[in-house]
């Protein structure tokens, strides 16, 4: 484990968008070299640019011996890639060499230091009726009547739930209807639900944490991609309230980006013992105070207007943080 290992750049062959306006020629060239002909295919523009960005910057910065694997196209034995650092999205039906993100930062809710820095009232709960009602009752006692709920047992399996009221039976019923069959998999998880006070979240920003420190960041703007980066590590483009349908309300807030960087630096030190590896730290303003929105593993996180040169350069140095977990030998 002391010698650097070759990287695996793992790319899904997403469909090309119809609109190629402003996409650099070197993106197109690298795609055609490793994936296929760039032509209008009706694909999602932002998704394709982010995928191509991972491919281009991974090849450029992760070493000349990097292995490029295009899912469904490259003829590689997945078992030979086990134990190598990976850069690229984890698929819904993943190969055995990259069956999960190296980070477990998506279980941030069990960390009391994270919850402290969220700066809103929160309670953890199992999926059982009495636990859910107890969590709501505690928050209602503290004056909360509008709630934002996340299913923490498996990130992104369910959309987040916003509900309001003070009737415990009605609140619990709405949660059960929302959870449905997903709750079956969480019957033994005492922290399956994060029930939060619903607050006004402003100027969402994503910090990319590598080596326990922020290495680059960008505002959570759905229509922005790495080709929109303003040639800076911490891109200043932000929206007061996130709107993935427009960029007309984008503001330049370099002073706020610096506040976020300072906060993330302190948070990185605080979380250094947690074994999160490489992860994303989403920040925002709540009543003017820098606060945590959530943490997630880095591999499947949206990139927005990120400086990919800074990200991949940091990952190359901290390659051990990008080693996917290894399945037991009996399982493979």
């Amino acid at each position: 484990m002391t010698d650097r290992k070759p990287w695996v750049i793992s790319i899904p062959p997403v469909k090309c968008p119809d609109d190629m306006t402003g996409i650099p020629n070197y993106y197109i060239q690298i795609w055609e070299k490793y994936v296929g002909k760039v032509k209008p295919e009706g694909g999602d523009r932002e998704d394709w640019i982010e995928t191509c960005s991972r491919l281009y910057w991974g090849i450029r910065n992760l070493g000349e011996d990097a292995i490029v694997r295009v899912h469904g196209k490259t003829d590689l034995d997945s078992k030979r890639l086990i134990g190598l650092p990976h850069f690229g999205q984890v698929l819904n039906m993943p190969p055995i060499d990259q069956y999960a993100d190296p980070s477990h930062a998506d279980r941030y809710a069990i960390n009391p230091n994270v919850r402290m820095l969220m700066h809103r009232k929160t309670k953890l709960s199992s999926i059982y009726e009495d636990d859910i009602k107890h969590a709501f009752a505690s928050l209602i006692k503290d004056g909360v009547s509008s709630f934002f709920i996340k299913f923490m047992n498996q990130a992104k399996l369910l959309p987040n739930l916003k509900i309001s009221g003070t009737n415990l039976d009605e609140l619990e019923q709405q949660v059960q209807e929302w959870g449905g069959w997903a709750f079956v998999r969480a019957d033994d998880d005492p922290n399956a639900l994060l029930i939060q006070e619903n607050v006004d979240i402003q100027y969402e920003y994503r910090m990319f944490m590598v080596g326990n420190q922020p290495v680059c960041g960008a505002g959570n703007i759905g229509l922005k991609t790495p080709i929109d980066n303003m040639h800076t590590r911490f891109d200043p483009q932000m929206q007061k309230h996130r709107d993935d349908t427009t960029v007309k309300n984008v503001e330049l807030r370099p002073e706020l980006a610096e506040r976020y960087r300072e906060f993330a630096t302190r948070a990185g030190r605080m979380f250094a013992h947690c074994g999160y590896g490489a992860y994303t730290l989403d920040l925002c303003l709540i009543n003017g105070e820098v606060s945590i929105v959530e943490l997630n593993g880095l591999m499947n996180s949206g990139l927005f207007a990120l400086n990919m040169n800074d990200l991949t350069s940091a990952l190359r140095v901290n390659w051990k943080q990008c080693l996917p977990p290894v399945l037991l030998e009996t399982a493979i």
Side-chain angles (χ1 to χ4, degrees):
M1 293 295 290
T2 58
D3 297 329
R4 188 186 69 81
K5 297 185 177 184
W7 282 80
V8 178
I9 302 168
S10 196
I11 300 297
V14 297
K15 291 183 178 181
C16 299
D18 294 335
D19 179 13
M20 302 295 290
T21 305
I23 295 176
N25 285 333
Y26 51 83
Y27 272 34
I28 295 173
Q29 292 166 2
I30 204 74
W31 190 266
E32 292 191 334
K33 180 177 179 179
Y34 288 97
V35 184
K37 182 69 176 176
V38 173
K39 58 184 179 180
E41 295 176 321
D44 181 271
R45 175 180 165 88
E46 286 71 40
D47 186 29
W48 185 85
I49 294 174
E50 287 197 357
T51 303
C52 194
S53 180
R54 289 183 172 97
L55 176 62
Y56 174 80
W57 288 102
I59 291 170
R60 175 168 170 169
N61 284 344
L62 294 181
E64 296 179 355
D65 56 351
I67 301 165
V68 177
R69 187 258 305 280
V70 180
H71 292 283
K73 288 180 175 285
T74 309
D75 185 17
L76 287 172
D77 182 358
S78 294
K79 288 186 178 181
R80 297 183 62 185
L81 306 180
I82 294 173
L84 301 180
H86 282 58
F87 181 56
Q89 294 164 293
V90 179
L91 303 184
N92 290 331
M93 297 183 65
I96 59 174
D97 58 288
Q98 193 188 16
Y99 80 94
D101 195 295
S103 174
H104 61 268
D106 59 354
R107 296 292 287 171
Y108 63 88
I110 62 176
N111 186 334
N113 287 330
V114 173
R115 296 201 307 277
M116 175 184 68
L117 295 175
M118 292 172 69
H119 299 144
R120 54 196 181 276
K121 298 179 178 68
T122 64
K123 291 292 179 181
L124 289 167
S125 172
S126 75
I127 52 96
Y128 291 102
E129 175 183 350
D130 55 341
D131 287 339
I132 293 172
K133 287 183 177 180
H134 183 270
F136 277 123
S138 179
L139 290 169
I140 291 169
K141 184 178 180 180
D142 287 339
V144 180
S145 60
S146 181
F147 307 94
F148 186 81
I149 304 164
K150 287 178 176 285
F151 185 56
M152 302 302 297
N153 180 264
Q154 183 174 340
K156 315 301 182 186
L157 182 63
L158 290 175
N160 298 324
L161 176 67
K162 291 183 181 181
I163 56 176
S164 59
T166 56
N167 184 299
L168 295 181
D169 290 330
E170 293 178 357
L171 292 169
E172 190 270 337
Q173 182 179 359
Q174 290 180 76
V175 171
Q176 294 293 350
E177 291 175 352
W178 163 70
W181 282 103
F183 278 9
V184 173
R185 65 185 303 131
D187 62 349
D188 61 347
D189 185 353
N191 303 306
L193 302 175
L194 176 61
I195 304 176
Q196 313 170 58
E197 176 186 12
N198 189 27
V199 297
D200 181 22
I201 288 178
Q202 300 181 358
Y203 298 107
E204 286 187 72
Y205 197 90
R206 179 159 294 167
M207 285 290 181
F208 285 71
M209 309 292 289
V210 182
N212 300 316
Q213 61 183 327
V215 298
C216 50
N220 292 25
I221 305 171
L223 294 181
K224 293 288 186 178
T225 69
I227 67 173
D228 300 305
N229 178 266
M230 300 182 69
H231 307 289
T232 180
R233 286 180 63 196
F234 301 100
D235 193 89
Q237 300 173 86
M238 304 183 202
Q239 289 174 318
K240 185 173 183 179
H241 292 104
R242 181 171 176 176
D243 184 347
D244 289 346
T245 67
T246 183
V247 292
K248 292 182 179 179
N249 58 353
V250 171
E251 306 172 31
L252 298 183
R253 297 293 304 272
E255 80 293 339
L256 183 53
E258 176 59 18
R259 284 181 64 191
Y260 285 155
R261 186 200 65 77
E262 293 174 351
F263 180 97
T265 299
R266 296 193 299 273
R269 289 195 294 264
M270 183 180 292
F271 305 153
H273 69 286
C274 300
Y276 288 157
Y279 63 99
T280 58
L281 173 65
D282 282 7
L283 304 175
C284 69
L285 290 184
I286 297 177
N287 296 322
E289 186 173 22
V290 178
S291 309
I292 291 177
V293 178
E294 63 181 2
L295 281 67
N296 283 293
L298 185 146
M299 294 304 166
N300 283 41
S301 291
L303 303 175
F304 307 120
L306 193 70
N307 189 315
M308 291 295 289
N309 182 48
D310 286 321
L311 175 62
T312 49
S313 296
L315 290 176
R316 181 172 183 175
V317 175
N318 294 275
W319 61 272
K320 291 183 181 180
Q321 294 192 338
C322 298
L323 295 169
V326 178
L327 287 166
L328 294 175
E329 186 68 27
T330 54
I332 60 176

